[in-house]
Amino acid sequence: MTHRAIREQPNAVHTQACAGESHDEMQALLHKPLPPSSTPSPPWTGSALGHVVQVLDDGRCLVEAQAGGDRWHSPRAASCLLAPGVGDTVLVAGPQRDHVYLIAVITQADASRSELVVDGDVTLRSRHGGIALQAQTQIALASPELTLHAQKARLEVDDMAYRGGEVRVTTLVARFIGRTCETVLDRLSVLTRSSFRLTEEVDQVRAGQIDYQARETLRLHAKNTLVTSKALVKVDADQIHMG
């Protein structure tokens, strides 16, 4: 063996070692699983923002994640009284990604109309204060039945129109104060124990027939009394006093 062969022998051993390491790395790389073709969804944090795509007939909403990809059939939470509409930005939350509730409406696509919706009876109660309803244009009440209980009620209306089938009023004392009263009726029936009417100026009655009947006394008194008739005037009594 020459001096040159002795000098090159360590280099050959090093080359073979490097080749073995490269082979092992190649085998490990071949057995490594391939990455998924799509980017996995981020870990669920318990809540997310989305847009309402559709409002279903059963009250649930089809919500599409704001980041894209996921869609949820989300029932409204009991605390979310504002009914969501298509295009609204909403907050969904739940223990699992596929089991979420619509918690709140963040922004409305059409803010000109809002609707509060519940499935059962509603009681609005203030324990130590009052409740006020205010509207810029109108307040509309619609119900098959309306019940109102109050110790005192005050109503101030500039112009009022009422239309209904029947009105029954039961009261101990009624007072009406006004400047003009006009009543148009087919029939008027008044039953009283005592009646008093005071007219300062003119009291006129125009009727087809007038029938006055008193059990005891009928009195007509005036400074001037005129009794006229075109056909007949009849006075009949057991006694007639003139003058």
Side-chain angles (χ1 to χ4, degrees), residues 124 131-135 137-148 155 163:
L124 183 61
I131 297 176
L133 297 178
Q134 297 182 356
T137 56
Q138 68 172 353
I139 295 178
L141 299 177
S143 174
E145 184 177 349
L146 176 64
T147 303
L148 177 64
L155 181 64
R163 183 179 63 182

Side-chain angles (χ1 to χ4, degrees), residues 40-86:
S41 301
W44 179 246
T45 59
S47 62
L49 292 178
H51 299 289
V52 177
V53 179
Q54 183 182 1
V55 179
L56 305 178
D57 295 337
D58 58 358
R60 296 184 301 165
C61 296
L62 181 60
V63 180
E64 184 177 34
Q66 198 174 51
D70 292 339
R71 283 193 173 188
W72 303 288
H73 287 81
S74 306
R76 283 192 303 123
S79 60
C80 183
L81 302 181
L82 180 61
V86 177

Side-chain angles (χ1 to χ4, degrees), residues 60-219:
R60 296 184 301 165
C61 296
L62 181 60
V63 180
E64 184 177 34
Q66 198 174 51
D70 292 339
R71 283 193 173 188
W72 303 288
H73 287 81
S74 306
R76 283 192 303 123
S79 60
C80 183
L81 302 181
L82 180 61
V86 177
D88 292 354
T89 301
V90 297
L91 175 66
V92 295
Q96 300 175 359
R97 184 184 292 273
D98 58 349
H99 187 198
V100 296
Y101 293 89
L102 197 154
I103 301 299
V105 177
I106 305 303
T107 57
Q108 293 179 278
D110 183 10
S112 63
R113 181 179 178 85
S114 300
E115 186 176 4
L116 303 181
V117 178
V118 297
D119 294 330
D121 296 337
V122 178
T123 300
L124 183 61
R125 178 182 298 132
S126 174
R127 295 185 181 275
H128 305 289
I131 297 176
L133 297 178
Q134 297 182 356
Q136 187 67 27
T137 56
Q138 68 172 353
I139 295 178
L141 299 177
S143 174
E145 184 177 349
L146 176 64
T147 303
L148 177 64
H149 296 281
Q151 292 183 354
K152 287 186 178 181
R154 296 182 180 88
L155 181 64
E156 296 181 6
V157 180
D158 291 338
D159 188 4
M160 180 177 179
Y162 172 80
R163 183 179 63 182
E166 183 177 356
V167 177
R168 290 188 297 271
V169 179
T170 303
T171 180
L172 295 178
V173 178
R175 295 184 178 91
F176 300 94
I177 299 174
R179 299 187 62 181
T180 303
C181 178
E182 297 180 0
T183 304
V184 180
L185 302 171
D186 288 337
R187 181 180 178 182
L188 176 63
S189 299
V190 180
L191 301 177
T192 63
R193 293 185 60 185
S194 177
S195 176
F196 174 79
R197 187 175 65 182
L198 176 62
T199 303
E200 292 185 357
E201 295 183 1
V202 180
D203 188 5
Q204 296 181 350
V205 177
R206 300 290 186 268
Q209 293 182 0
I210 297 178
D211 182 5
Y212 288 115
Q213 181 178 356
R215 285 200 304 264
E216 298 296 334
T217 303
L218 175 64
R219 177 177 179 270

Side-chain angles (χ1 to χ4, degrees), residues 220 227-229 232-242:
L220 297 176
V227 179
T228 62
S229 175
L232 174 66
V233 174
K234 181 179 179 181
V235 179
D236 185 9
D238 293 340
Q239 294 184 12
I240 297 177
H241 295 259
M242 305 292 293

